[in-house]
Amino acid sequence: MNTVPQDRIDTAAVRQPRAHLGVLAAALLSLMAMLAYFLWSGYREVVHDAEITTQNLVLALEARLQGTLARTDAVLGELAHDATPALMQKSALAARRHEVSARMARQLANFPDVSGTYYFDVDGDMLYSSDPQARSSNVADRPFFRHLRERSDNALEFSDALVARTTGRLSVVIARCIRDEAGRFLGVTTALLDLEILDQLLTAMNVGADSTIVLRRSDNFNLVTRYPPLPEQGIAPLVADNPLRLRITAGERTGTLTYRAQQDGVARLSSFRVLEQYPFYMYVGIAPDEYLAGWHQQVVAAGVLAATLLLLFGFAAVRMLRNDALVAAVQRQILESEARLHTIIENEPECIKIVDAQGRLTQMNPAGLAMIEADSEEQVVGQPVSAVIAPEYRSAFAEMHQRVLSGETVQMEFEVQGLKGGRRWLETHAVPMRENGETVHLAVTRDISARKQAEAELLRSNSELEQFSYSISHDMRQPLRMISSYLQLLQNGLGDTLDAEKREYFNFAIDGAQRLDAMLRGLLDYSRIGRKGEPPVWLESRAALDEALLFLRPAIAEAQAAVRIEGAWPRILARQDELLRLLQNLVGNALKFRVEGRPP
């Protein structure tokens, strides 16, 4: 590309226009504006990052609490299911206490969030406990016990934060009602969510001294726990006009807002989430002094920089007024820097070119000349760029050129046909640029021929794999059809000598062979994807499930599994064999990967 002539540098060196002082002032103002924009943009970014941080923290806390409550729900469900009327009698304590307590303790293995589970009889007296150190107590006066005794459903009941009588530790009681088959109240089973363990989790999240993590009830907005903890007088329900309470009451399940907390009066940026199934919500708030600390340092640094720039400007202005020759020297340095930039472009290994509005090449560096097999820049300057574009890509290149002239930044891959007949793949990144009052096309282009060759090899390899899959699945069907045929011949030959059970075995074997054949046909269809595979059709999903369960009947019987089907099963657009394989694999995995010794 053209370099800066030496005579131009020499001429610029003697220019001493004092008007450049105004240009410098304008540049300084622009820099100040950019600095202000940088600070404003940095502020928005810091606030956005703080929002993301609070959202991620509250999401992690929600996942932990949701998992804890769901597991506790399941444990209490098992305990309520196992509680027979005989078990809930005080007369059974002597014979059953050790057995029941041991079973309850096993349920809490590797579950540190719950400090213990308990059975309380109809009078509220403790019968059994997973904790051998638990104190014998009565909970008949507890609100959760009264509520469960009066309710007719089997939903969970949660207490506010309280000191558990069985452990003496601050906890939340989670309770479920126990009734007999006639619906008579037999007592409750409870679990203690140890708030000291939950506090350790909140402390480990390390949100900062002025920040806070809070867990509250979403039904009465009572405080469950908070980090850092509040003095006793600060523990109170949220006032009715609290912004967070208003949003939750309005039905919002998650969100981010900035408001001043009623407990300590600190304004924080907070994100909250309400649990879907349980009456709790949590929020994480970060104080501005924490998330803006780094930005405040940037403001100080920017202020120092601005003051320095102002001092430099004053110094430069004084020197410029005293000696205009200094300006000429600066101009000379700028032009020499421009010359160095042109030298760098000349040695750049990727093609750099400028195309005017008419599509003619105006400048190109040596790397670009080598790509199009040109011996010199004069050989191609002023010529249409389309002359070296492969014919099948010329219209696309012309469209890209117009998009660049309209102000877009465009990336494109195409082939060029060099002046000496060679072809190669190029990838260009084109941007609009103003030159001499008009918009031109500036592009950086790299040679991607090696990558394209590798992609072609990959496509060829994939095609060979596809053919191999087709051949294997096709060839396997022949012996399978032979097995099915001979099984049918054998069944027919044995005739009336077969009893009903053996005839059913034959039917299972023949049906299994036919199903395997259908799966191989599905594999054939899969290998034909992109060529002539069967299109999706509307299917009854329940019918596909029944067919998958029929095929898995031996495995289900062997595992002693209980399969329960619920809900409405819709019609879906799918391929029959793919849907069958999907459902069969899902149920089959559930049969394989299970707790040993426990029927799934």
Side-chain angles (χ1 to χ4, degrees):
M1 302 180 78
N2 296 331
T3 59
V4 180
Q6 184 64 35
D7 58 350
R8 180 182 169 190
I9 295 177
D10 293 340
T11 302
V14 299
R15 295 178 185 170
Q16 300 173 353
R18 294 187 179 183
H20 283 190
L21 182 60
V23 175
L24 185 60
L28 181 62
L29 290 176
S30 299
L31 188 58
M32 293 295 184
M34 290 176 60
L35 192 60
Y37 175 79
F38 167 78
L39 291 175
W40 175 74
S41 177
Y43 174 81
R44 292 185 60 187
E45 184 176 353
V46 167
V47 172
H48 176 70
D49 289 343
E51 292 177 353
I52 296 299
T53 298
T54 59
Q55 290 166 7
N56 289 340
L57 288 174
V58 80
L59 188 62
L61 184 59
E62 178 204 32
R64 172 66 180 270
L65 186 59
Q66 179 72 27
T68 296
L69 294 178
R71 183 172 175 182
T72 305
D73 193 351
V75 168
L76 292 179
E78 290 187 21
L79 290 177
H81 178 268
D82 294 339
T84 62
L87 185 71
M88 298 301 294
Q89 300 297 321
K90 291 184 176 66
S91 58
L93 280 176
R96 302 293 301 277
R97 175 174 292 173
H98 178 74
E99 168 205 347
V100 175
S101 297
R103 185 173 73 247
M104 295 170 72
R106 286 195 300 270
Q107 288 178 310
L108 297 186
N110 301 318
F111 193 14
D113 294 350
V114 172
S115 59
T117 54
Y118 308 88
Y119 281 114
F120 293 90
D121 66 10
V122 68
D123 298 319
D125 293 325
M126 190 184 81
L127 297 177
Y128 311 97
S129 169
S130 64
D131 181 9
Q133 306 299 322
R135 308 165 188 167
S136 180
S137 60
N138 183 281
V139 295
D141 62 329
R142 294 291 200 189
F144 69 84
F145 184 88
R146 298 198 306 270
H147 292 166
L148 287 175
R149 184 170 53 193
E150 296 166 0
R151 292 169 58 167
S152 60
D153 60 13
N154 197 30
L156 289 180
E157 185 74 22
F158 297 85
S159 75
D160 290 330
L162 49 76
V163 176
R165 292 170 179 167
T166 55
T167 64
R169 296 161 65 92
L170 191 62
S171 307
V172 170
V173 179
I174 306 173
R176 186 181 293 279
C177 180
I178 301 174
R179 296 183 183 275
D180 62 14
E181 295 181 354
R184 289 187 296 270
F185 181 72
L186 300 179
V188 299
T189 178
T190 67
L192 291 184
L193 184 62
D194 195 332
L195 294 186
E196 292 185 15
I197 297 175
L198 186 57
D199 288 344
Q200 293 173 9
L201 171 63
L202 302 188
T203 303
M205 298 180 80
N206 192 24
V207 294
D210 289 333
S211 299
T212 183
I213 305 176
V214 176
L215 175 64
R216 284 184 179 271
R217 295 282 296 267
S218 58
D219 49 3
N220 58 18
F221 297 94
N222 286 339
L223 180 68
V224 176
T225 187
R226 181 187 190 273
Y227 175 83
L230 288 172
E232 193 66 26
Q233 62 271 21
I235 301 176
L238 295 184
V239 295
D241 60 350
N242 181 279
L244 182 54
R245 178 169 181 168
L246 291 175
R247 292 181 64 168
I248 293 176
T249 304
E252 291 190 42
R253 312 300 297 178
T254 182
T256 300
L257 71 162
T258 298
Y259 77 103
R260 192 173 301 277
Q262 73 180 49
Q263 290 84 2
D264 55 13
V266 177
R268 297 181 179 90
L269 189 153
S270 303
S271 291
F272 70 93
R273 293 186 74 88
V274 181
L275 294 186
E276 292 291 336
Q277 298 176 333
Y278 306 103
F280 297 97
Y281 75 91
M282 65 290 297
Y283 75 88
V284 176
I286 301 180
D289 288 344
E290 293 183 5
Y291 67 82
L292 291 178
W295 183 78
H296 287 152
Q297 294 176 359
Q298 293 179 1
V299 172
V300 173
V304 172
L305 177 60
T308 303
L309 290 175
L310 287 173
L311 290 174
L312 290 175
F313 172 74
F315 177 77
V318 172
R319 291 296 302 269
M320 187 177 293
L321 293 174
R322 290 180 179 179
N323 190 357
D324 287 341
L326 180 61
V327 177
V330 172
Q331 290 177 332
R332 182 182 182 89
Q333 291 176 3
I334 293 174
L335 291 173
E336 288 175 349
S337 177
E338 183 181 350
R340 287 195 296 270
L341 177 61
H342 279 276
T343 301
I344 292 172
I345 293 175
E346 287 288 305
N347 294 279
E348 169 62 39
E350 295 183 351
C351 168
I352 301 176
K353 65 178 182 291
I354 298 177
V355 182
D356 65 16
Q358 289 71 40
R360 297 186 298 260
L361 184 68
T362 60
Q363 295 185 44
M364 177 177 280
N365 68 345
L369 297 175
M371 289 181 186
I372 63 173
E373 301 176 342
D375 297 324
S376 66
E377 193 175 19
E378 290 74 14
Q379 189 177 358
V380 292
V381 167
Q383 301 298 319
V385 177
S386 59
V388 295
I389 304 296
E392 60 269 29
Y393 293 97
R394 288 175 182 172
S395 61
F397 187 86
E399 179 183 351
M400 180 200 74
H401 179 61
Q402 293 303 318
R403 290 172 59 191
V404 173
L405 295 181
S406 66
E408 294 186 48
T409 297
V410 184
Q411 184 170 328
M412 177 184 176
E413 296 179 0
F414 57 90
E415 276 191 288
V416 296
Q417 185 170 320
L419 300 182
K420 298 178 182 179
R423 290 174 71 101
R424 66 182 69 196
W425 275 96
L426 302 180
E427 179 185 65
T428 188
H429 185 83
V431 298
M433 184 181 73
R434 296 291 293 177
E435 185 177 77
N436 298 326
E438 69 172 2
T439 301
V440 297
H441 167 161
L442 171 66
V444 177
T445 304
R446 61 174 59 88
D447 189 337
I448 59 170
S449 300
R451 191 187 80 192
K452 284 293 185 178
Q453 183 179 0
E455 290 175 354
E457 288 295 322
L458 180 60
L459 288 175
R460 182 190 60 78
S461 177
N462 287 342
S463 177
E464 291 176 355
L465 287 173
E466 178 185 304
Q467 291 296 330
F468 177 75
S469 173
Y470 175 81
S471 175
I472 289 298
S473 58
H474 181 274
D475 293 345
M476 287 176 64
R477 291 186 63 202
Q478 181 58 37
L480 187 61
R481 287 195 295 266
M482 183 181 69
I483 292 171
S484 177
S485 298
Y486 276 104
L487 281 173
Q488 291 175 343
L489 290 174
L490 182 58
Q491 182 184 25
N492 294 334
L494 292 174
D496 296 336
T497 63
L498 295 175
D499 56 24
E501 183 179 11
K502 292 184 175 60
R503 191 174 299 278
E504 184 179 9
Y505 291 162
F506 268 103
N507 291 337
F508 277 141
I510 294 170
D511 184 58
Q514 291 172 348
R515 289 176 182 276
L516 184 55
D517 182 65
M519 294 176 70
L520 287 174
R521 287 200 307 272
L523 182 59
L524 278 171
D525 288 341
Y526 185 75
S527 70
R528 298 188 184 110
I529 288 178
R531 297 184 292 132
K532 55 180 180 178
E534 291 296 329
V537 295
W538 285 102
L539 301 171
E540 296 292 341
S541 57
R542 176 57 187 271
L545 175 64
D546 291 338
E547 188 174 357
L549 292 177
L550 181 62
F551 191 66
L552 292 169
R553 183 183 296 174
I556 292 172
E558 181 181 353
Q560 297 181 347
V563 180
R564 185 174 67 252
I565 304 171
E566 297 179 352
W569 289 72
R571 285 167 53 84
I572 61 174
L573 186 66
R575 293 181 174 88
Q576 171 71 26
D577 57 294
E578 293 178 356
L579 179 59
L580 179 61
R581 285 199 301 273
L582 170 65
L583 295 172
Q584 182 176 323
N585 288 341
L586 286 173
V587 179
N589 286 343
L591 295 172
K592 292 177 186 177
F593 305 109
R594 65 181 191 270
V595 177
E596 186 176 356
R598 181 189 300 175

